[in-house]
């Protein structure tokens, strides 16, 4: 929900939308082109808004946030892996270990989102929880929140488990010492991804 208003999402999407408006030869007023009222007042969009508000209530505790359980998974996995290795962690650090850590961490969340989505399409048990999403008749950035709480919960659970496990692997690879540039590399890669993958995924643009 927070991301809907986050400048990291809103500003790049606006820049791209204005670019598309110019590219198409300015067919309309710029505001009318980006926010057509027949889409934003469409009954389908009103369902999106109701579901978004309902989800806001369901997830208000933060208990189902992606990454909520990740630290617990990391601690348990780290414990298990260091025990298996006889309590030995590597003392080596270096550029390639940092690059490997960043390359492992960056796609993990997206990998979980992909599999959650794929499994909801491919299994009879899960499909009813996802069917509401592609039933949208028009798309606006709010449509991304048109989801059943079970769909979002399973996704959050998968992200928590896999990112938690990946963090343990990264800590092992880096001998417990994460250099700040590794964190910046992952954040930078993720924000670049968000730049092109923000609000416009669900929109007429
Ligand atoms: Zn789908």
């Amino acid at each position: 929900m927070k991301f809907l208003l986050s400048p990291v999402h809103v500003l790049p999407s606006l820049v791209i939308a204005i670019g598309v408006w110019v590219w198409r030869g300015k067919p309309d007023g710029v505001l009318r082109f980006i926010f057509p009222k027949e889409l934003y007042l469409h009954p389908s969009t009103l369902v999106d808004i109701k579901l978004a508000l309902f989800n806001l209530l369901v997830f208000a505790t933060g208990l189902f946030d992606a990454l909520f359980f990740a630290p617990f998974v990391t601690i348990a996995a780290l414990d298990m892996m260091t025990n298996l290795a006889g309590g030995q962690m590597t003392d080596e650090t270096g550029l390639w270990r940092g690059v490997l850590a960043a390359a492992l961490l960056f796609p993990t969340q997206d990998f979980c989102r992909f599999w959650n989505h794929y499994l909801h399409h491919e299994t009879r048990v899960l499909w009813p929880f996802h069917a509401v999403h592609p039933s949208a008749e028009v798309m606006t950035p709010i449509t991304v929140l048109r989801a059943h709480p079970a769909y979002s919960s399973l996704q959050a659970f998968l992200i928590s488990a896999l990112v938690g496990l990946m963090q343990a692997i990264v800590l092992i690879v880096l001998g417990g010492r994460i250099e700040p540039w590794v964190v910046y590399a992952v954040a930078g890669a993720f924000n670049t991804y968000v730049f092109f993958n923000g609000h416009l995924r669900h929109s007429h643009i």
Side-chain angles (χ1 to χ4, degrees), residues 18-56:
I18 292 170
V20 171
W21 173 69
V22 172
W23 185 52
R24 292 197 188 152
K26 303 183 181 174
D28 229 331
V30 67
L31 279 178
R32 163 109 192 90
F33 177 77
I34 299 177
F35 303 105
K37 66 172 183 298
E38 54 277 19
L39 292 195
Y40 281 83
L41 296 177
H42 194 281
S44 172
T45 303
L46 299 182
V47 172
D48 294 357
I49 293 170
K50 283 182 198 162
L51 271 171
L53 291 174
F54 177 71
N55 282 321
L56 184 67

Side-chain angles (χ1 to χ4, degrees), residues 117 121 127 130 133-134:
H117 190 193
H121 274 271
W127 168 249
H130 181 53
H133 186 70

Side-chain angles (χ1 to χ4, degrees), residues 72-93:
F72 305 104
V73 178
T74 304
I75 293 166
L78 206 53
D79 225 36
M80 218 172 72
M81 286 191 273
T82 38
N83 276 343
L84 279 176
Q88 290 284 309
M89 265 205 182
T90 175
D91 275 339
E92 282 176 65
T93 50

Side-chain angles (χ1 to χ4, degrees), residues 68-152:
F68 183 86
F69 295 108
F72 305 104
V73 178
T74 304
I75 293 166
L78 206 53
D79 225 36
M80 218 172 72
M81 286 191 273
T82 38
N83 276 343
L84 279 176
Q88 290 284 309
M89 265 205 182
T90 175
D91 275 339
E92 282 176 65
T93 50
L95 185 67
W96 74 267
R97 285 176 187 274
V99 171
L100 179 64
L104 285 174
L105 269 179
F106 165 61
T108 308
Q109 242 205 65
D110 200 47
F111 180 84
C112 298
R113 286 174 195 277
F114 169 81
W115 278 100
N116 185 50
H117 190 193
Y118 182 78
L119 290 173
H120 275 83
H121 274 271
E122 294 299 315
T123 60
R124 274 181 204 197
V125 186
L126 292 177
W127 168 249
F129 296 115
H130 181 53
V132 70
H133 186 70
S135 74
E137 290 167 60
V138 296
M139 285 195 285
T140 74
I142 311 160
T143 311
V144 77
L145 298 172
R146 184 190 180 102
H148 192 290
Y151 179 92
S152 314

